Amino acid sequence: MIAPYTPSSLLDLLCCPETVNIVLPSKTKSCDDKPDDTPKPGLGSLYTRWGRTTCPTNSSLVYDGVAGGQHYSHTGGGSNLLCLPNDPIWANYTTEVEKGGYIFGSEYQLQSYDTNTIFSFANAKSLHDHNVPCAVCLTRQPAVVMTLPARTKCYAGWTTEYSGYLMTAHYNHKGRQEYVCVDYAPEADPAGYRNENGATLYFVEAACGSLPCPPYVHGQELTCVVCSKY
């Protein structure tokens, strides 16, 4: 049996292509092959758990801190909430107040709920006017993470990280905040119990009209759930 010729150089391939016996692998990848859904090691996805200082069992804690954003009465500045760490590191700074951009702490605003039956008080005795903690979490496996409004359960094929209630700024305030999903059993920052306002958070209620009712109900507080797909 004659052994297949193996080219020794690129010149052999160019000059004598008819003598080259190319052996193909036993299985080549096809565009019709199904994707491999086996979990792969690697970095996960980040998300913020608003109202808590810990992460669910599916995730690990990156850091915990306090929610911060724009003052409810201001018309400028940012419109998103940030999870500010408890151990800031400063670089260059001045001791003067230049009155440029600001960031304030965030407070739960529950004064319209005399007997609060919305949140669970498993992790706090009181919430109104208390500062809002937060935790930045990393899923333990690579995942896609989404915040699903108006649901307490994820759709099939998705894993629940945590569930709670949508909160945002008051509709009549000048400042705007994004909608965030606050854990159903929130904690209260023990250092922030005074009524200092800042980036205030209120429950979000359905408003019928352009929003179809049913399935939505006018005046009812909207839930939320943070879901991941591994």
Side-chain angles (χ1 to χ4, degrees), residues 60-74:
S60 58
L61 179 69
V62 179
Y63 71 90
D64 67 289
V66 292
Q70 194 55 243
H71 196 279
Y72 77 94
S73 66
H74 291 178

Side-chain angles (χ1 to χ4, degrees), residues 32-33 43 57 65 115 137 152 164 167 178 211 216:
D32 296 328
D33 287 347
L43 292 177
T57 55
T115 302
C137 306
T152 59
M167 300 192 82
E178 63 181 328
L211 182 69
Y216 292 92

Side-chain angles (χ1 to χ4, degrees), residues 149-227:
R151 297 268 301 181
T152 59
K153 296 180 180 179
C154 299
Y155 289 112
W158 292 76
T159 300
T160 298
E161 296 294 334
Y162 76 93
S163 61
Y165 290 90
L166 281 182
M167 300 192 82
T168 191
H170 193 280
Y171 79 95
N172 202 30
H173 287 169
K174 295 178 180 179
R176 292 181 179 270
Q177 300 291 355
E178 63 181 328
Y179 294 98
V180 294
C181 187
V182 178
D183 193 272
Y184 80 100
E187 302 170 48
D189 178 18
Y193 57 88
R194 294 172 294 274
N195 180 18
E196 296 172 319
N197 293 317
T200 51
L201 288 180
Y202 294 78
F203 286 122
V204 176
E205 298 175 316
C208 293
S210 53
L211 182 69
C213 297
Y216 292 92
V217 179
H218 189 78
Q220 288 196 9
E221 288 74 15
L222 267 68
T223 55
C224 56
V225 59
V226 173
C227 307

Side-chain angles (χ1 to χ4, degrees), residues 17-31:
E18 69 280 356
T19 63
V20 178
N21 184 8
I22 300 176
V23 180
L24 295 175
S26 58
K27 178 175 175 58
T28 58
K29 189 169 182 62
S30 167
C31 293

Side-chain angles (χ1 to χ4, degrees), residues 18-195:
E18 69 280 356
T19 63
V20 178
N21 184 8
I22 300 176
V23 180
L24 295 175
S26 58
K27 178 175 175 58
T28 58
K29 189 169 182 62
S30 167
C31 293
D32 296 328
D33 287 347
K34 294 182 179 180
D36 183 5
D37 292 329
T38 305
K40 302 295 191 302
L43 292 177
S45 294
L46 289 171
Y47 64 90
T48 301
R49 189 183 192 185
W50 301 103
R52 295 295 296 271
T53 58
T54 59
C55 294
T57 55
N58 294 330
S59 304
S60 58
L61 179 69
V62 179
Y63 71 90
D64 67 289
V66 292
Q70 194 55 243
H71 196 279
Y72 77 94
S73 66
H74 291 178
T75 56
S79 59
N80 59 319
L81 284 179
L82 296 177
C83 187
L84 299 172
N86 291 318
D87 53 350
I89 298 175
W90 306 99
N92 297 332
Y93 61 89
T94 70
T95 56
E96 301 296 327
V97 179
E98 283 79 17
K99 296 184 178 180
Y102 289 118
I103 193 163
F104 297 82
S106 182
E107 289 184 354
Y108 303 106
Q109 294 296 299
L110 309 178
Q111 64 267 39
S112 298
Y113 298 84
D114 295 333
T115 302
N116 186 7
T117 58
I118 306 297
F119 277 139
S120 164
F121 280 82
N123 297 312
K125 293 182 179 180
S126 178
L127 290 171
H128 177 60
D129 282 339
H130 282 64
N131 292 359
V132 181
C134 54
V136 174
C137 306
L138 178 69
T139 59
R140 298 186 186 277
Q141 298 180 34
V144 176
V145 179
M146 71 169 174
T147 297
L148 180 59
R151 297 268 301 181
T152 59
K153 296 180 180 179
C154 299
Y155 289 112
W158 292 76
T159 300
T160 298
E161 296 294 334
Y162 76 93
S163 61
Y165 290 90
L166 281 182
M167 300 192 82
T168 191
H170 193 280
Y171 79 95
N172 202 30
H173 287 169
K174 295 178 180 179
R176 292 181 179 270
Q177 300 291 355
E178 63 181 328
Y179 294 98
V180 294
C181 187
V182 178
D183 193 272
Y184 80 100
E187 302 170 48
D189 178 18
Y193 57 88
R194 294 172 294 274
N195 180 18

